[in-house]
Amino acid sequence: MNTRPIYLDHQATTPLDERALEAMLPFFTSEYGNPSSPHACGRGAARAIRTARRHVADLVGAMHEREIVFTSGATEADHLAIVGAALAVRPHGGNIVTTVIEHKAVLAACQRLVDHHGYTVTRVGVDRYGQVDPHDVAAALTPDTVLVSVMHANNEIGTLQRLDDIAEITGQRGIILHTDAAQSAGHGLLDVAEAGVDLASLSAHKLCGPMGIGALYIRCGTRVIAQQTGGGQERGLRAGTPNVPAIVGFATAAQLITIDAVPPPTRIRALRDRLQGRLLAGIPGATVNGHPHRRLPGNLSLTLPGIEATDLLQRIPGLAASAGSACNTGSGEPSHVLTAIGLTRDQARATLRLSVGRSTTHTDIDEAADLITRAAHILAPTPPHVA
C-alpha cells in the first residue's frame, strides 16, 4: 500500500532528483579527496567543483564561473550579500532599501546592519498583487543608500518583480542591487545579465538538488567582505572545506534545468491552473493571492473564507502543503507578506499555500482538489439557499 502523501509543498523544498543523487554518491565513497589537497584525490575534487561552478553560472546566465561562490544555502548567501556588500562599500552607517515582503533571511541581515553597524533600513510597500513599483524604490533612495535588496519571486504568493526596471534605477546611481532568487532559479526564470543585478542568492533544494548547499552570484567588480573567515576557500569569501558531494548535486540539478528542462514550466503551470480552477469552483468565496500572470508557474496562494488553514491541513493527513512560508511555521503570527498585500489577520490565517513541482501528476491535482474541497465544506459549511 502506497502511503506517500500528495506533495504540494515544492516551494518549501523539492524532492532530490535521482540523477543528482547518482552524481553525488562517488564523492561520498571513492572520490573523497579534499579539494584543497595537492595530490590526485584532491585535484579530482577540485575539478568537480570547477565544473559545478560553471553549471551553476549557466543556470543564471553568469558570464564567468568565478562569479559563483558556494554557501550553505540561500540564507547564508543573503547574509553574505547584504552585510558583506554594505560593509565593503561603507563600513559604518548608510542606508539599505528593501521591501516589506522579503524573506526573513533578508530582513534579518538588514537588521544586523542596523543593530551592529549603524545603518538605517527603508522598506518599500507593495500593491495588492505583491508587486513593487520601481518608482517607489527610486523615491526611497537617499544619498546614503548603498544597497537595494528586492526578491525576484516571493516565497508565499509567487509574484515576480521587475528587476530590470529596478536595476536601471540603481545602476544610474551606482547602488548595488541584490536579489533573493531562491524560488525563481529552479524555473529558469532568472538571467542575471538581463535582470541587471549585482548579487543573487540561490538554493539547491528549491530546484531538486540537495539541502544544505546554495550559492551567491557576485557580478565581477562587486566588492563583498567575507562574513565567515578562516581558510582561503571560495576566493576567500567563504572559509571552510567545501561540501563536494552537495556542490556536485547542486550543479547536476542546475544542469538538468538548463539542458533538458524536465518538465517545462508550461506543464507545471497547467497543473497549477487545473488545481486553481477546481478549488475556485468548489469553494465559494475562495480567492487567489499574488499577481494573476507574473508569478511562479507552480505557486497557488489561496484564501479560504471562514477557515483556519492549519485546521484544514490537520484534517488532510494525506496532503503535504503549507499554511504559509516554511520559515514562519510555529511563529503564531500571520504572514507579513499576506498582511502587506492587504489581507486582514483572519484572512492571512485562512490562506493555504500550494506549490506544484516536477513530480506532481494530474492524479495528485485531482485528488488534492477533492480533499481540500471536502475539508473546506466541513470546516465552513455553505449556508442553505433560501428561496
Side-chain angles (χ1 to χ4, degrees):
M1 178 179 178
N2 182 17
T3 58
R4 181 185 71 88
I6 301 169
Y7 190 77
L8 293 180
D9 204 17
H10 288 82
Q11 283 186 261
T13 193
T14 55
L16 179 64
D17 191 294
E18 291 182 359
R19 293 165 290 183
L21 175 61
E22 184 178 354
M24 294 169 65
L25 289 176
F27 295 92
F28 285 114
T29 54
S30 58
E31 301 181 37
Y32 47 80
N34 185 320
S36 298
S37 298
H39 48 65
C41 292
R43 292 195 300 272
R47 282 194 300 271
I49 291 179
R50 285 196 298 272
T51 301
R53 210 181 300 279
R54 180 67 263 169
H55 290 324
V56 175
D58 290 341
L59 174 69
V60 296
M63 295 295 294
H64 306 286
E65 57 264 31
R66 279 181 55 83
E67 294 178 311
I68 301 298
V69 171
F70 289 114
T71 66
S72 63
T75 293
E76 184 188 340
D78 286 338
H79 185 95
L80 176 59
I82 294 169
V83 179
L87 294 181
V89 175
R90 187 169 179 173
H92 185 79
N95 172 253
I96 308 296
V97 172
T98 187
T99 81
V100 295
I101 61 166
E102 294 300 308
H103 191 281
K104 286 189 173 181
V106 166
L107 298 177
C110 291
Q111 191 61 42
R112 175 165 287 272
L113 287 168
V114 173
D115 294 341
H116 299 285
H117 301 284
Y119 283 73
T120 61
V121 174
T122 304
R123 297 187 186 184
V124 177
V126 295
D127 63 18
R128 65 191 180 98
Y129 299 121
Q131 276 206 322
V132 179
D133 188 331
H135 292 98
D136 291 342
V137 174
L141 301 178
T142 74
D144 289 334
T145 303
V146 296
L147 182 141
V148 172
S149 182
V150 177
M151 69 192 330
H152 188 208
N154 186 263
N155 53 310
E156 293 191 45
I157 59 176
T159 296
L160 295 164
Q161 305 299 341
R162 295 176 292 179
L163 291 178
D164 53 345
D165 291 339
I166 297 171
E168 186 174 352
I169 295 167
T170 57
Q172 290 173 351
R173 305 198 187 190
I175 296 170
I176 298 167
L177 177 59
H178 164 257
T179 188
D180 184 324
Q183 295 287 345
S184 60
H187 297 282
L189 295 171
L190 178 68
D191 184 303
V192 291
E194 289 182 5
V197 298
D198 302 296
L199 302 160
S201 302
L202 311 172
S203 175
H205 77 99
K206 305 292 187 180
L207 47 88
C208 297
M211 293 183 181
I213 187 70
L216 177 64
Y217 159 76
I218 306 175
R219 183 184 298 279
C220 284
T222 304
R223 293 176 56 215
V224 177
I225 292 177
Q227 299 301 296
Q228 182 171 315
T229 56
Q233 296 90 346
E234 296 301 300
R235 295 166 41 198
L237 291 175
R238 205 272 181 174
T241 302
N243 186 344
V244 182
I247 288 172
V248 170
F250 184 4
T252 303
Q255 187 181 25
L256 292 172
I257 292 171
T258 57
I259 292 179
D260 5 283
V262 178
T266 50
R267 175 183 175 273
I268 294 176
R269 185 178 293 106
L271 289 171
R272 188 274 311 279
D273 290 347
R274 180 183 181 91
L275 178 62
Q276 176 177 310
R278 291 199 55 174
L279 291 174
L280 290 179
I283 305 174
T287 55
V288 176
N289 303 303
H291 197 279
H293 309 297
R294 288 184 54 83
R295 79 178 194 264
L296 292 172
N299 170 270
L300 177 57
S301 173
L302 202 66
T303 299
L304 310 175
I307 294 172
E308 286 274 350
T310 53
D311 292 345
L312 183 139
L313 291 174
Q314 288 175 2
R315 297 189 71 92
I316 315 174
L319 175 67
S322 173
S325 170
C327 67
N328 287 330
T329 301
S331 69
E333 290 297 314
S335 159
H336 69 286
V337 174
L338 298 178
T339 54
I341 63 172
L343 270 62
T344 65
R345 293 171 68 90
D346 287 344
Q347 288 172 327
R349 291 195 177 98
T351 298
L352 191 66
R353 185 186 71 175
L354 305 164
S355 42
V356 176
R358 300 186 198 183
S359 60
T360 309
T361 66
H362 280 85
T363 300
D364 290 336
I365 293 297
D366 292 341
E367 290 183 359
D370 289 341
L371 289 168
I372 294 169
T373 300
R374 284 200 296 268
H377 283 287
I378 292 171
L379 291 170
T382 304
H385 177 69
V386 178

